[in-house]
Amino acid sequence: MLLSEVLTGCDLDRQGIRVSDDPSSGFLKADVARFCDGLGELASAIRLRLVVQLRHALEEVTDAALDGEMAAAKAEAWGLR
């Protein structure tokens, strides 16, 4: 399995999880995969550092978006579990 597959979840079909049909998420996944594939010529320690930095940056952005969307859903009286 490629590092880009692990990071981007490219093996979702094998796990039986439905991938979103939203084309913007496909573009983002392709960008992340391209970034990871471009690390191939670097030393393994540098690749690892860059992938960890990328993962943290993505988590920061998605966590903030998730928090905002959950607050908006609660404000609209959606029941979240």
Side-chain angles (χ1 to χ4, degrees):
M1 176 176 288
L2 296 173
L3 180 57
S4 61
E5 290 176 336
V6 173
L7 184 66
T8 62
C10 293
D11 64 333
L12 293 177
D13 291 337
R14 288 178 267 168
Q15 295 176 2
I17 299 172
R18 181 165 168 72
V19 178
S20 171
D21 292 330
D22 181 3
S24 60
S25 64
F27 288 126
L28 178 59
K29 288 171 74 172
D31 286 344
V32 171
R34 237 184 334 274
F35 174 83
C36 292
D37 291 342
L39 301 177
E41 295 183 19
L42 299 173
S44 60
I46 295 171
R47 288 193 313 262
L48 181 58
R49 178 178 50 84
L50 290 171
V51 170
V52 168
Q53 288 174 345
L54 174 63
R55 185 177 221 170
H56 286 183
L58 291 172
E59 285 175 353
E60 286 178 18
V61 172
T62 55
D63 287 351
L66 182 61
D67 290 345
E69 294 308 319
M70 288 182 71
K74 285 180 183 179
E76 294 174 6
W78 283 86
L80 301 175
R81 296 178 189 201

CSV table of all heavy atoms in Angstrom, one decimal, residues 14-77:
chain,number,residue,atom,x,y,z
A,14,ARG,N,-12.3,-0.9,-0.5
A,14,ARG,CA,-11.9,-2.2,0.1
A,14,ARG,C,-12.5,-2.3,1.6
A,14,ARG,O,-12.6,-3.4,2.1
A,14,ARG,CB,-10.4,-2.4,0.1
A,14,ARG,CG,-9.9,-2.7,-1.3
A,14,ARG,CD,-8.4,-2.9,-1.3
A,14,ARG,NE,-7.9,-1.6,-1.6
A,14,ARG,CZ,-6.6,-1.3,-1.4
A,14,ARG,NH1,-5.8,-2.1,-1.0
A,14,ARG,NH2,-6.2,-0.1,-1.7
A,15,GLN,N,-12.7,-1.2,2.2
A,15,GLN,CA,-13.2,-1.2,3.6
A,15,GLN,C,-14.7,-1.1,3.6
A,15,GLN,O,-15.4,-1.2,4.6
A,15,GLN,CB,-12.7,0.0,4.4
A,15,GLN,CG,-11.2,0.0,4.6
A,15,GLN,CD,-10.7,1.2,5.3
A,15,GLN,OE1,-11.4,2.1,5.6
A,15,GLN,NE2,-9.4,1.3,5.5
A,16,GLY,N,-15.3,-1.0,2.4
A,16,GLY,CA,-16.8,-1.0,2.3
A,16,GLY,C,-17.4,0.4,2.7
A,16,GLY,O,-18.6,0.4,3.0
A,17,ILE,N,-16.6,1.4,2.7
A,17,ILE,CA,-17.1,2.8,3.1
A,17,ILE,C,-17.4,3.5,1.8
A,17,ILE,O,-16.6,3.6,0.9
A,17,ILE,CB,-16.1,3.5,3.9
A,17,ILE,CG1,-15.9,2.8,5.2
A,17,ILE,CG2,-16.6,5.0,4.2
A,17,ILE,CD1,-14.7,3.3,6.1
A,18,ARG,N,-18.6,4.1,1.7
A,18,ARG,CA,-18.9,4.9,0.5
A,18,ARG,C,-18.2,6.2,0.4
A,18,ARG,O,-18.1,7.0,1.3
A,18,ARG,CB,-20.4,5.1,0.5
A,18,ARG,CG,-20.9,5.9,-0.8
A,18,ARG,CD,-22.4,5.8,-0.9
A,18,ARG,NE,-22.9,6.7,-1.9
A,18,ARG,CZ,-22.7,6.6,-3.2
A,18,ARG,NH1,-22.1,5.6,-3.7
A,18,ARG,NH2,-23.2,7.5,-4.1
A,19,VAL,N,-17.6,6.4,-0.7
A,19,VAL,CA,-16.8,7.7,-0.9
A,19,VAL,C,-17.8,8.7,-1.4
A,19,VAL,O,-18.7,8.5,-2.2
A,19,VAL,CB,-15.7,7.4,-2.0
A,19,VAL,CG1,-15.0,8.7,-2.3
A,19,VAL,CG2,-14.8,6.4,-1.6
A,20,SER,N,-17.6,9.9,-0.9
A,20,SER,CA,-18.5,11.1,-1.3
A,20,SER,C,-18.5,11.3,-2.8
A,20,SER,O,-17.4,11.1,-3.5
A,20,SER,CB,-18.1,12.3,-0.6
A,20,SER,OG,-18.7,13.4,-1.1
A,21,ASP,N,-19.6,11.6,-3.4
A,21,ASP,CA,-19.7,11.9,-4.8
A,21,ASP,C,-19.3,13.4,-5.1
A,21,ASP,O,-19.3,13.8,-6.2
A,21,ASP,CB,-21.1,11.7,-5.3
A,21,ASP,CG,-21.5,10.2,-5.3
A,21,ASP,OD1,-20.5,9.4,-5.4
A,21,ASP,OD2,-22.6,9.9,-5.1
A,22,ASP,N,-19.0,14.2,-4.1
A,22,ASP,CA,-18.6,15.6,-4.2
A,22,ASP,C,-17.3,15.7,-5.0
A,22,ASP,O,-16.3,15.2,-4.5
A,22,ASP,CB,-18.6,16.2,-2.9
A,22,ASP,CG,-18.2,17.7,-3.0
A,22,ASP,OD1,-18.1,18.2,-4.1
A,22,ASP,OD2,-18.1,18.3,-1.9
A,23,PRO,N,-17.3,16.3,-6.2
A,23,PRO,CA,-16.0,16.3,-6.9
A,23,PRO,C,-14.9,17.1,-6.2
A,23,PRO,O,-13.8,16.9,-6.4
A,23,PRO,CB,-16.4,17.0,-8.2
A,23,PRO,CG,-17.8,17.6,-8.0
A,23,PRO,CD,-18.4,16.9,-6.9
A,24,SER,N,-15.3,18.1,-5.4
A,24,SER,CA,-14.3,18.9,-4.7
A,24,SER,C,-13.4,18.0,-3.8
A,24,SER,O,-12.2,18.2,-3.6
A,24,SER,CB,-14.9,20.1,-4.0
A,24,SER,OG,-15.8,19.7,-3.0
A,25,SER,N,-14.0,17.0,-3.1
A,25,SER,CA,-13.3,16.1,-2.3
A,25,SER,C,-12.3,15.3,-3.1
A,25,SER,O,-11.2,14.9,-2.7
A,25,SER,CB,-14.2,15.3,-1.4
A,25,SER,OG,-15.0,14.4,-2.1
A,26,GLY,N,-12.8,14.9,-4.3
A,26,GLY,CA,-11.9,14.1,-5.2
A,26,GLY,C,-10.7,14.9,-5.6
A,26,GLY,O,-9.6,14.4,-5.7
A,27,PHE,N,-10.9,16.2,-5.9
A,27,PHE,CA,-9.8,17.1,-6.3
A,27,PHE,C,-8.8,17.2,-5.1
A,27,PHE,O,-7.6,17.1,-5.3
A,27,PHE,CB,-10.2,18.5,-6.7
A,27,PHE,CG,-10.9,18.5,-8.0
A,27,PHE,CD1,-12.2,19.1,-8.1
A,27,PHE,CD2,-10.3,18.0,-9.1
A,27,PHE,CE1,-12.8,19.1,-9.3
A,27,PHE,CE2,-10.9,18.0,-10.4
A,27,PHE,CZ,-12.2,18.6,-10.5
A,28,LEU,N,-9.3,17.4,-3.9
A,28,LEU,CA,-8.4,17.5,-2.7
A,28,LEU,C,-7.6,16.2,-2.5
A,28,LEU,O,-6.4,16.2,-2.3
A,28,LEU,CB,-9.2,17.8,-1.5
A,28,LEU,CG,-8.5,17.9,-0.2
A,28,LEU,CD1,-7.4,19.0,-0.3
A,28,LEU,CD2,-9.4,18.2,1.0
A,29,LYS,N,-8.3,15.1,-2.6
A,29,LYS,CA,-7.6,13.8,-2.4
A,29,LYS,C,-6.5,13.6,-3.5
A,29,LYS,O,-5.4,13.1,-3.2
A,29,LYS,CB,-8.6,12.6,-2.5
A,29,LYS,CG,-9.5,12.5,-1.3
A,29,LYS,CD,-10.6,11.6,-1.4
A,29,LYS,CE,-10.1,10.2,-1.3
A,29,LYS,NZ,-11.2,9.2,-1.3
A,30,ALA,N,-6.8,14.0,-4.7
A,30,ALA,CA,-5.8,13.9,-5.8
A,30,ALA,C,-4.6,14.8,-5.5
A,30,ALA,O,-3.5,14.4,-5.8
A,30,ALA,CB,-6.5,14.3,-7.2
A,31,ASP,N,-4.9,16.0,-5.0
A,31,ASP,CA,-3.8,16.9,-4.7
A,31,ASP,C,-2.9,16.3,-3.6
A,31,ASP,O,-1.7,16.4,-3.6
A,31,ASP,CB,-4.3,18.3,-4.2
A,31,ASP,CG,-4.9,19.1,-5.4
A,31,ASP,OD1,-4.6,18.8,-6.5
A,31,ASP,OD2,-5.6,20.1,-5.1
A,32,VAL,N,-3.5,15.8,-2.5
A,32,VAL,CA,-2.8,15.2,-1.4
A,32,VAL,C,-2.0,14.0,-2.0
A,32,VAL,O,-0.8,13.8,-1.6
A,32,VAL,CB,-3.7,14.8,-0.3
A,32,VAL,CG1,-3.0,13.9,0.8
A,32,VAL,CG2,-4.3,16.0,0.4
A,33,ALA,N,-2.6,13.1,-2.8
A,33,ALA,CA,-1.9,12.0,-3.4
A,33,ALA,C,-0.7,12.4,-4.2
A,33,ALA,O,0.4,11.8,-4.1
A,33,ALA,CB,-2.9,11.1,-4.2
A,34,ARG,N,-0.9,13.5,-5.0
A,34,ARG,CA,0.2,14.0,-5.8
A,34,ARG,C,1.3,14.5,-4.9
A,34,ARG,O,2.5,14.3,-5.2
A,34,ARG,CB,-0.3,15.2,-6.7
A,34,ARG,CG,-0.1,15.0,-8.2
A,34,ARG,CD,-0.5,16.1,-9.0
A,34,ARG,NE,-1.6,17.0,-8.6
A,34,ARG,CZ,-2.9,16.8,-8.7
A,34,ARG,NH1,-3.3,15.7,-9.3
A,34,ARG,NH2,-3.8,17.6,-8.3
A,35,PHE,N,1.0,15.2,-3.8
A,35,PHE,CA,2.0,15.7,-2.9
A,35,PHE,C,2.8,14.5,-2.3
A,35,PHE,O,4.0,14.6,-2.3
A,35,PHE,CB,1.3,16.5,-1.8
A,35,PHE,CG,2.3,16.9,-0.7
A,35,PHE,CD1,3.0,18.0,-0.8
A,35,PHE,CD2,2.4,16.1,0.5
A,35,PHE,CE1,3.9,18.4,0.2
A,35,PHE,CE2,3.2,16.5,1.5
A,35,PHE,CZ,4.0,17.6,1.4
A,36,CYS,N,2.1,13.5,-1.9
A,36,CYS,CA,2.8,12.3,-1.3
A,36,CYS,C,3.6,11.6,-2.3
A,36,CYS,O,4.7,11.2,-2.0
A,36,CYS,CB,1.7,11.4,-0.7
A,36,CYS,SG,0.9,12.1,0.8
A,37,ASP,N,3.1,11.5,-3.5
A,37,ASP,CA,3.9,10.8,-4.6
A,37,ASP,C,5.1,11.6,-4.9
A,37,ASP,O,6.1,11.0,-5.3
A,37,ASP,CB,3.0,10.6,-5.8
A,37,ASP,CG,1.9,9.5,-5.6
A,37,ASP,OD1,2.0,8.8,-4.6
A,37,ASP,OD2,0.9,9.5,-6.4
A,38,GLY,N,5.1,12.9,-4.8
A,38,GLY,CA,6.2,13.7,-5.1
A,38,GLY,C,7.3,13.6,-4.1
A,38,GLY,O,8.4,14.2,-4.3
A,39,LEU,N,7.1,13.0,-3.0
A,39,LEU,CA,8.1,12.9,-1.9
A,39,LEU,C,9.0,11.7,-2.1
A,39,LEU,O,10.0,11.6,-1.4
A,39,LEU,CB,7.4,12.7,-0.5
A,39,LEU,CG,6.4,13.8,-0.1
A,39,LEU,CD1,5.8,13.4,1.2
A,39,LEU,CD2,7.1,15.1,0.0
A,40,GLY,N,8.8,10.9,-3.1
A,40,GLY,CA,9.5,9.7,-3.3
A,40,GLY,C,11.0,9.8,-3.4
A,40,GLY,O,11.7,8.9,-3.0
A,41,GLU,N,11.6,10.9,-3.9
A,41,GLU,CA,13.0,11.0,-4.0
A,41,GLU,C,13.7,11.6,-2.8
A,41,GLU,O,14.9,11.7,-2.7
A,41,GLU,CB,13.3,11.9,-5.2
A,41,GLU,CG,12.9,11.2,-6.5
A,41,GLU,CD,13.2,12.1,-7.7
A,41,GLU,OE1,14.1,12.9,-7.6
A,41,GLU,OE2,12.6,11.8,-8.8
A,42,LEU,N,12.9,11.9,-1.8
A,42,LEU,CA,13.5,12.5,-0.5
A,42,LEU,C,13.9,11.3,0.4
A,42,LEU,O,13.4,10.2,0.3
A,42,LEU,CB,12.5,13.4,0.2
A,42,LEU,CG,12.0,14.6,-0.7
A,42,LEU,CD1,10.9,15.4,0.1
A,42,LEU,CD2,13.2,15.5,-0.9
A,43,ALA,N,14.7,11.7,1.4
A,43,ALA,CA,15.1,10.7,2.4
A,43,ALA,C,13.9,10.3,3.2
A,43,ALA,O,13.0,11.2,3.4
A,43,ALA,CB,16.2,11.3,3.3
A,44,SER,N,13.8,9.1,3.7
A,44,SER,CA,12.6,8.6,4.4
A,44,SER,C,12.3,9.5,5.6
A,44,SER,O,11.1,9.7,5.9
A,44,SER,CB,12.8,7.2,4.8
A,44,SER,OG,13.9,7.0,5.7
A,45,ALA,N,13.2,10.0,6.4
A,45,ALA,CA,13.0,10.8,7.5
A,45,ALA,C,12.3,12.1,7.1
A,45,ALA,O,11.4,12.6,7.8
A,45,ALA,CB,14.3,11.1,8.3
A,46,ILE,N,12.7,12.7,6.0
A,46,ILE,CA,12.2,13.9,5.5
A,46,ILE,C,10.7,13.7,5.0
A,46,ILE,O,9.8,14.5,5.3
A,46,ILE,CB,13.0,14.5,4.4
A,46,ILE,CG1,14.4,15.0,5.0
A,46,ILE,CG2,12.3,15.7,3.8
A,46,ILE,CD1,15.4,15.4,4.0
A,47,ARG,N,10.5,12.6,4.3
A,47,ARG,CA,9.2,12.2,3.8
A,47,ARG,C,8.2,12.1,5.0
A,47,ARG,O,7.1,12.6,5.0
A,47,ARG,CB,9.2,10.9,3.1
A,47,ARG,CG,9.8,11.0,1.7
A,47,ARG,CD,9.6,9.8,0.8
A,47,ARG,NE,9.8,8.5,1.5
A,47,ARG,CZ,10.9,7.8,1.4
A,47,ARG,NH1,11.9,8.2,0.6
A,47,ARG,NH2,11.0,6.6,2.0
A,48,LEU,N,8.7,11.4,6.0
A,48,LEU,CA,7.8,11.2,7.2
A,48,LEU,C,7.5,12.5,7.9
A,48,LEU,O,6.3,12.7,8.2
A,48,LEU,CB,8.5,10.2,8.2
A,48,LEU,CG,7.8,9.9,9.5
A,48,LEU,CD1,6.5,9.2,9.1
A,48,LEU,CD2,8.6,9.0,10.4
A,49,ARG,N,8.5,13.4,8.0
A,49,ARG,CA,8.2,14.7,8.7
A,49,ARG,C,7.2,15.5,7.9
A,49,ARG,O,6.3,16.0,8.4
A,49,ARG,CB,9.5,15.4,8.8
A,49,ARG,CG,9.3,16.8,9.4
A,49,ARG,CD,10.7,17.6,9.6
A,49,ARG,NE,11.5,17.6,8.4
A,49,ARG,CZ,11.4,18.5,7.4
A,49,ARG,NH1,10.4,19.4,7.4
A,49,ARG,NH2,12.2,18.5,6.4
A,50,LEU,N,7.4,15.5,6.5
A,50,LEU,CA,6.4,16.2,5.7
A,50,LEU,C,5.0,15.7,5.7
A,50,LEU,O,4.1,16.4,5.7
A,50,LEU,CB,7.0,16.3,4.3
A,50,LEU,CG,8.2,17.2,4.1
A,50,LEU,CD1,8.8,17.0,2.7
A,50,LEU,CD2,7.9,18.6,4.4
A,51,VAL,N,4.9,14.4,5.7
A,51,VAL,CA,3.6,13.7,5.8
A,51,VAL,C,2.9,14.0,7.1
A,51,VAL,O,1.7,14.3,7.2
A,51,VAL,CB,3.7,12.2,5.5
A,51,VAL,CG1,2.4,11.5,5.8
A,51,VAL,CG2,4.1,12.0,4.0
A,52,VAL,N,3.7,14.0,8.2
A,52,VAL,CA,3.1,14.3,9.5
A,52,VAL,C,2.7,15.7,9.6
A,52,VAL,O,1.6,16.0,10.1
A,52,VAL,CB,4.1,13.9,10.6
A,52,VAL,CG1,3.7,14.5,12.0
A,52,VAL,CG2,4.3,12.4,10.7
A,53,GLN,N,3.5,16.6,9.0
A,53,GLN,CA,3.1,18.0,9.0
A,53,GLN,C,1.8,18.3,8.2
A,53,GLN,O,0.9,19.0,8.6
A,53,GLN,CB,4.2,18.9,8.4
A,53,GLN,CG,5.4,19.0,9.4
A,53,GLN,CD,6.6,19.8,8.7
A,53,GLN,OE1,6.7,19.9,7.5
A,53,GLN,NE2,7.5,20.2,9.6
A,54,LEU,N,1.8,17.6,7.0
A,54,LEU,CA,0.6,17.7,6.2
A,54,LEU,C,-0.7,17.2,6.9
A,54,LEU,O,-1.7,17.8,7.0
A,54,LEU,CB,0.8,16.9,4.9
A,54,LEU,CG,-0.5,16.8,4.0
A,54,LEU,CD1,-0.9,18.2,3.5
A,54,LEU,CD2,-0.2,15.9,2.8
A,55,ARG,N,-0.5,16.0,7.6
A,55,ARG,CA,-1.6,15.4,8.3
A,55,ARG,C,-2.1,16.4,9.4
A,55,ARG,O,-3.3,16.6,9.6
A,55,ARG,CB,-1.2,14.1,8.9
A,55,ARG,CG,-2.3,13.4,9.6
A,55,ARG,CD,-1.9,12.0,10.1
A,55,ARG,NE,-2.9,11.1,9.8
A,55,ARG,CZ,-2.8,9.8,9.9
A,55,ARG,NH1,-1.6,9.3,10.3
A,55,ARG,NH2,-3.8,9.0,9.7
A,56,HIS,N,-1.2,16.9,10.2
A,56,HIS,CA,-1.6,17.9,11.2
A,56,HIS,C,-2.3,19.1,10.7
A,56,HIS,O,-3.3,19.6,11.2
A,56,HIS,CB,-0.4,18.3,12.1
A,56,HIS,CG,0.1,17.2,13.0
A,56,HIS,ND1,1.1,17.4,13.8
A,56,HIS,CD2,-0.3,15.9,13.2
A,56,HIS,CE1,1.3,16.3,14.5
A,56,HIS,NE2,0.5,15.4,14.1
A,57,ALA,N,-1.8,19.6,9.5
A,57,ALA,CA,-2.4,20.8,8.9
A,57,ALA,C,-3.9,20.4,8.5
A,57,ALA,O,-4.8,21.2,8.7
A,57,ALA,CB,-1.6,21.3,7.8
A,58,LEU,N,-4.0,19.3,7.9
A,58,LEU,CA,-5.4,18.9,7.4
A,58,LEU,C,-6.3,18.6,8.6
A,58,LEU,O,-7.5,19.0,8.6
A,58,LEU,CB,-5.3,17.6,6.6
A,58,LEU,CG,-4.6,17.8,5.2
A,58,LEU,CD1,-4.4,16.4,4.6
A,58,LEU,CD2,-5.5,18.7,4.3
A,59,GLU,N,-5.8,18.1,9.7
A,59,GLU,CA,-6.6,17.8,10.9
A,59,GLU,C,-7.1,19.2,11.5
A,59,GLU,O,-8.2,19.3,11.9
A,59,GLU,CB,-5.8,17.0,11.9
A,59,GLU,CG,-5.7,15.6,11.6
A,59,GLU,CD,-4.8,14.8,12.5
A,59,GLU,OE1,-4.2,15.4,13.4
A,59,GLU,OE2,-4.8,13.5,12.4
A,60,GLU,N,-6.2,20.2,11.5
A,60,GLU,CA,-6.5,21.5,12.1
A,60,GLU,C,-7.7,22.1,11.3
A,60,GLU,O,-8.7,22.6,11.9
A,60,GLU,CB,-5.3,22.4,12.0
A,60,GLU,CG,-4.3,22.2,13.1
A,60,GLU,CD,-3.1,23.1,12.9
A,60,GLU,OE1,-3.3,24.2,12.3
A,60,GLU,OE2,-2.1,22.8,13.5
A,61,VAL,N,-7.6,22.0,10.0
A,61,VAL,CA,-8.6,22.6,9.1
A,61,VAL,C,-9.9,21.8,9.2
A,61,VAL,O,-11.0,22.4,9.4
A,61,VAL,CB,-8.1,22.7,7.7
A,61,VAL,CG1,-9.2,23.1,6.7
A,61,VAL,CG2,-6.9,23.6,7.6
A,62,THR,N,-9.8,20.5,9.1
A,62,THR,CA,-11.1,19.7,9.2
A,62,THR,C,-11.7,19.7,10.5
A,62,THR,O,-12.9,19.7,10.6
A,62,THR,CB,-10.8,18.3,8.7
A,62,THR,OG1,-9.8,17.7,9.4
A,62,THR,CG2,-10.5,18.3,7.2
A,63,ASP,N,-10.9,19.7,11.6
A,63,ASP,CA,-11.5,19.8,13.0
A,63,ASP,C,-12.2,21.1,13.2
A,63,ASP,O,-13.3,21.1,13.7
A,63,ASP,CB,-10.4,19.6,14.0
A,63,ASP,CG,-9.9,18.2,14.1
A,63,ASP,OD1,-10.5,17.3,13.5
A,63,ASP,OD2,-8.9,18.0,14.8
A,64,ALA,N,-11.7,22.2,12.7
A,64,ALA,CA,-12.3,23.5,12.9
A,64,ALA,C,-13.6,23.5,12.0
A,64,ALA,O,-14.7,24.0,12.5
A,64,ALA,CB,-11.4,24.6,12.4
A,65,ALA,N,-13.6,23.0,10.8
A,65,ALA,CA,-14.8,23.0,10.0
A,65,ALA,C,-15.9,22.1,10.6
A,65,ALA,O,-17.0,22.4,10.6
A,65,ALA,CB,-14.4,22.5,8.6
A,66,LEU,N,-15.4,20.9,11.1
A,66,LEU,CA,-16.4,20.0,11.8
A,66,LEU,C,-17.0,20.7,13.0
A,66,LEU,O,-18.3,20.6,13.2
A,66,LEU,CB,-15.7,18.7,12.2
A,66,LEU,CG,-16.5,17.6,12.8
A,66,LEU,CD1,-17.6,17.2,11.9
A,66,LEU,CD2,-15.7,16.5,13.2
A,67,ASP,N,-16.3,21.3,13.8
A,67,ASP,CA,-16.8,22.0,15.0
A,67,ASP,C,-17.8,23.1,14.6
A,67,ASP,O,-18.9,23.2,15.2
A,67,ASP,CB,-15.7,22.7,15.8
A,67,ASP,CG,-14.8,21.7,16.5
A,67,ASP,OD1,-15.2,20.5,16.6
A,67,ASP,OD2,-13.7,22.1,17.0
A,68,GLY,N,-17.5,23.8,13.5
A,68,GLY,CA,-18.4,24.9,13.1
A,68,GLY,C,-19.7,24.3,12.5
A,68,GLY,O,-20.8,24.8,12.8
A,69,GLU,N,-19.6,23.2,11.7
A,69,GLU,CA,-20.8,22.6,11.1
A,69,GLU,C,-21.6,21.9,12.2
A,69,GLU,O,-22.9,21.9,12.1
A,69,GLU,CB,-20.4,21.6,10.0
A,69,GLU,CG,-19.7,22.3,8.8
A,69,GLU,CD,-20.5,23.4,8.3
A,69,GLU,OE1,-21.8,23.3,8.2
A,69,GLU,OE2,-19.9,24.5,7.9
A,70,MET,N,-21.0,21.3,13.2
A,70,MET,CA,-21.8,20.7,14.3
A,70,MET,C,-22.6,21.8,15.1
A,70,MET,O,-23.7,21.6,15.4
A,70,MET,CB,-20.9,19.9,15.2
A,70,MET,CG,-20.4,18.6,14.5
A,70,MET,SD,-19.4,17.6,15.6
A,70,MET,CE,-20.6,17.0,16.8
A,71,ALA,N,-21.9,22.9,15.3
A,71,ALA,CA,-22.6,24.0,16.0
A,71,ALA,C,-23.8,24.5,15.2
A,71,ALA,O,-24.8,24.8,15.7
A,71,ALA,CB,-21.6,25.1,16.3
A,72,ALA,N,-23.6,24.7,13.9
A,72,ALA,CA,-24.6,25.1,13.0
A,72,ALA,C,-25.8,24.1,13.0
A,72,ALA,O,-27.0,24.5,13.0
A,72,ALA,CB,-24.1,25.3,11.6
A,73,ALA,N,-25.5,22.8,12.9
A,73,ALA,CA,-26.5,21.8,12.9
A,73,ALA,C,-27.3,21.8,14.2
A,73,ALA,O,-28.5,21.7,14.2
A,73,ALA,CB,-25.9,20.4,12.7
A,74,LYS,N,-26.6,22.0,15.4
A,74,LYS,CA,-27.3,22.1,16.7
A,74,LYS,C,-28.2,23.3,16.7
A,74,LYS,O,-29.3,23.3,17.2
A,74,LYS,CB,-26.3,22.1,17.8
A,74,LYS,CG,-25.7,20.8,18.1
A,74,LYS,CD,-24.7,20.9,19.2
A,74,LYS,CE,-24.0,19.5,19.5
A,74,LYS,NZ,-23.0,19.6,20.6
A,75,ALA,N,-27.7,24.4,16.1
A,75,ALA,CA,-28.5,25.7,16.1
A,75,ALA,C,-29.8,25.5,15.3
A,75,ALA,O,-30.8,26.1,15.5
A,75,ALA,CB,-27.7,26.8,15.6
A,76,GLU,N,-29.7,24.6,14.3
A,76,GLU,CA,-30.8,24.3,13.4
A,76,GLU,C,-31.7,23.2,14.0
A,76,GLU,O,-32.6,22.7,13.3
A,76,GLU,CB,-30.4,23.9,12.0
A,76,GLU,CG,-29.7,25.1,11.3
A,76,GLU,CD,-29.1,24.6,10.0
A,76,GLU,OE1,-29.3,23.5,9.5
A,76,GLU,OE2,-28.5,25.5,9.3
A,77,ALA,N,-31.4,22.8,15.2
A,77,ALA,CA,-32.1,21.8,16.0
A,77,ALA,C,-32.0,20.4,15.4
A,77,ALA,O,-32.9,19.5,15.6
A,77,ALA,CB,-33.6,22.1,16.1
